[in-house]
Amino acid sequence: MNIIKKTFLLFSALLLVVNALSFSQDNTESGEQGKKDEEILKFTLMEAVDYALDHSKTLKVADIDLEMKKRASQNGWNCLLPSVNVSATMSRSNEVSASLKPYLGTQAYPNDGDAAKWTRLASLGFEWQFTAAYIQKIRAAKAAYEDGQISFQDSINQIEVNVKKAFYGLLLQKKSLDLSRTTLENSRQRMVQAQTNFKNGLVPELAMLQTQVAYQNMRPTVAQSERVYKQNLDGFAILIGVPVGTEIELVGNIEPYYVDLDYDNLISKYGDNSLAIKSLDKKIEQVKLGISATGLGTWSPALVIGWTKQPMSLGAQNDSWSGFPSGDNWSDNGSLNLTVAWNLTNMLPWSANRQSEKDLRAQLAQLEINRELLLENQKRSVRSCVDTLIQCREQITAMNRNISLAQRSYDMTVRAYRNGTTELLEVRDAENSLTQAKIGLESEKLNYISALMDLESTLNTKLTGGEK
């Protein structure tokens, strides 16, 4: 009886230990799963865009450049600041000044007259120079900052477009990968079914081997697609500013927002919204201001107002260095000057100033030609995008019908294969047709979305009512 009791107690203790270990393992696995879920960053489309705008290094560089131009614009007036100089000088002459020689050997300079060789000089100078070219330079600095603002906005738009295109491209790649996995699983199930049928004597060995070969051939392709998808996710992480290696999961679908567009209406309504054209207009404005500033600097005079106070002492009395024997050895050599000056050299046709003006005029002509070319390219781009959108929308409608037909064909072929009235090759062909139809539809949707984003970027306007 004691043996039975001891055995029962030992078994109970072992059972408690096993339960404790099992509970600990479950908690560990649950904790690891929770930690794994926390490490995965999930992004919707707009969350990815917002994250990129906050963390993009490209945008940070553009922001620094804009800050520099802003500071230059805010302080462009500093060319009007006067020049103020303060100085103090002590010097020793090799010989005594002629005005002090009569005093040598007197009570003022009883010794060798070394004190008479010293001169003390202080200076306070103020000079203000003005030319009409300064006004144009101030305006040019402001125009440069406004151009910088346009460039910064263009950088934001480009990052947004690039992130959206990459996001949708990865969704398409993931959709293709999911379909490949589904196809692989279907192939595995057919292989298992063929093995069972072979054991039951329902199919020959050749049919079973064909299903095994088809399954094994598909596995490396799917594995390679998975590796490529992970590599592209790393590239997307760099694009939005996430450290490489971070687990990322994209949440969303490729669903375009359809719009009805007319080429002529778009050009007339949004043609002047282009950031590229606005930026070029600002550059043209800067060059025109530069031409004006150069011309004013060449033909208009410069006004210079100068004032100096320059107290000076020649020699020193005895050891106190207090002044002349007459009682005061300090004099003021300062003055007030009003000057109007022309630089005649700048007026010469071959001077550097005139050559600079000619270069600016040539640059202006180039920019104006580039603007005309940019307008023509804008029209071509808008027309191309509108045509692509119309074509994609027609293709999407047709592909939706094709998928329904391909799905029915595949379902019927699979039933026929299970009934033994068709071959495995026909099943694979039907499955490939269905997969290609689905991928083709998603790809055409992506083409529509990309064309619409390009059109919005070209016209710098929102044509869609929302994002999906």
Side-chain angles (χ1 to χ4, degrees), residues 219-284:
R219 290 179 62 188
T221 303
V222 176
Q224 175 65 16
S225 299
E226 290 175 344
R227 286 192 294 269
V228 172
Y229 178 68
K230 289 181 179 179
Q231 292 171 0
N232 291 339
L233 275 179
D234 287 338
F236 183 76
I238 295 175
L239 178 62
I240 65 175
V242 174
V244 176
T246 304
E247 291 291 332
I248 295 177
E249 181 180 344
L250 305 183
V251 182
N253 296 307
I254 305 177
E255 290 298 333
Y257 188 96
Y258 297 107
V259 291
D260 295 321
L261 302 173
D262 178 72
Y263 165 76
D264 294 326
N265 184 47
L266 289 173
I267 291 296
S268 62
K269 190 174 182 180
Y270 304 111
D272 295 332
N273 285 4
S274 171
L275 290 179
I277 293 178
K278 289 183 178 180
S279 178
L280 198 56
D281 286 340
K282 282 298 175 182
K283 288 180 173 59
I284 291 175

Side-chain angles (χ1 to χ4, degrees), residues 108-169:
Y109 302 102
N111 300 322
D112 58 357
D114 182 71
K117 298 179 181 180
W118 286 92
T119 300
R120 290 168 291 177
L121 175 67
S123 177
L124 172 63
F126 170 95
E127 182 178 284
W128 183 72
Q129 182 173 342
F130 175 79
T131 175
Y134 288 169
I135 303 299
Q136 302 300 76
K137 290 181 179 179
I138 295 173
R139 295 176 61 190
K142 180 181 178 182
Y145 172 56
E146 292 172 350
D147 183 29
Q149 289 178 309
I150 295 173
S151 298
F152 184 72
Q153 184 60 47
D154 185 57
S155 298
I156 292 177
N157 293 350
Q158 287 300 319
I159 289 176
E160 183 176 351
V161 170
N162 292 339
V163 170
K164 287 181 177 181
K165 287 186 175 181
F167 186 93
Y168 283 122

Side-chain angles (χ1 to χ4, degrees), residues 242-406:
V242 174
V244 176
T246 304
E247 291 291 332
I248 295 177
E249 181 180 344
L250 305 183
V251 182
N253 296 307
I254 305 177
E255 290 298 333
Y257 188 96
Y258 297 107
V259 291
D260 295 321
L261 302 173
D262 178 72
Y263 165 76
D264 294 326
N265 184 47
L266 289 173
I267 291 296
S268 62
K269 190 174 182 180
Y270 304 111
D272 295 332
N273 285 4
S274 171
L275 290 179
I277 293 178
K278 289 183 178 180
S279 178
L280 198 56
D281 286 340
K282 282 298 175 182
K283 288 180 173 59
I284 291 175
E285 180 183 351
Q286 292 176 63
V287 173
K288 287 181 177 179
L289 290 171
I291 294 173
S292 176
T294 305
L296 289 172
T298 300
W299 303 105
S300 63
L303 172 64
V304 182
I305 300 176
W307 174 85
T308 57
K309 183 173 182 61
Q310 196 174 61
M312 181 179 66
S313 171
L314 294 176
Q317 183 179 1
N318 295 328
D319 296 331
S320 64
W321 288 34
S322 60
F324 285 109
S326 60
D328 187 8
N329 65 339
W330 287 94
S331 62
D332 186 359
N333 292 334
S335 63
L336 174 65
N337 302 306
L338 298 176
T339 304
V340 178
W342 279 269
N343 188 328
L344 299 181
T345 302
N346 287 340
M347 300 180 184
L348 298 175
W350 50 83
S351 67
N353 218 42
R354 297 291 299 279
Q355 292 302 314
S356 175
E357 182 179 351
K358 292 177 181 179
D359 291 341
L360 288 173
R361 291 188 182 279
Q363 184 179 352
L364 177 61
Q366 290 178 333
L367 291 174
E368 289 175 343
I369 294 174
N370 288 337
R371 190 181 190 280
E372 294 176 1
L373 182 61
L374 186 60
L375 285 172
E376 294 301 317
N377 285 332
Q378 182 196 57
K379 294 177 182 179
R380 180 191 60 81
S381 179
V382 171
R383 186 182 297 275
S384 176
C385 288
V386 171
D387 291 342
T388 301
L389 289 170
I390 295 174
Q391 181 181 1
C392 287
R393 192 165 183 178
E394 293 174 351
Q395 290 290 335
I396 290 171
T397 302
M399 286 181 173
N400 278 319
R401 293 194 297 265
N402 291 341
I403 288 178
S404 300
L405 296 175

Side-chain angles (χ1 to χ4, degrees), residues 173-234:
Q173 190 175 0
K174 186 175 184 298
K175 180 70 173 180
S176 177
L177 181 58
D178 290 342
L179 290 175
S180 297
R181 288 169 178 166
T182 301
T183 302
L184 180 63
E185 176 59 22
N186 292 339
S187 180
R188 188 193 68 80
Q189 291 178 4
R190 285 194 293 269
M191 180 188 68
V192 172
Q193 181 184 4
Q195 290 173 346
T196 302
N197 292 340
F198 173 71
K199 291 178 181 179
N200 295 330
L202 299 177
V203 297
E205 184 179 5
L206 178 60
M208 179 194 70
L209 293 176
Q210 287 175 339
T211 59
Q212 290 179 343
V213 170
Y215 173 70
Q216 294 299 334
N217 285 340
M218 192 176 297
R219 290 179 62 188
T221 303
V222 176
Q224 175 65 16
S225 299
E226 290 175 344
R227 286 192 294 269
V228 172
Y229 178 68
K230 289 181 179 179
Q231 292 171 0
N232 291 339
L233 275 179
D234 287 338

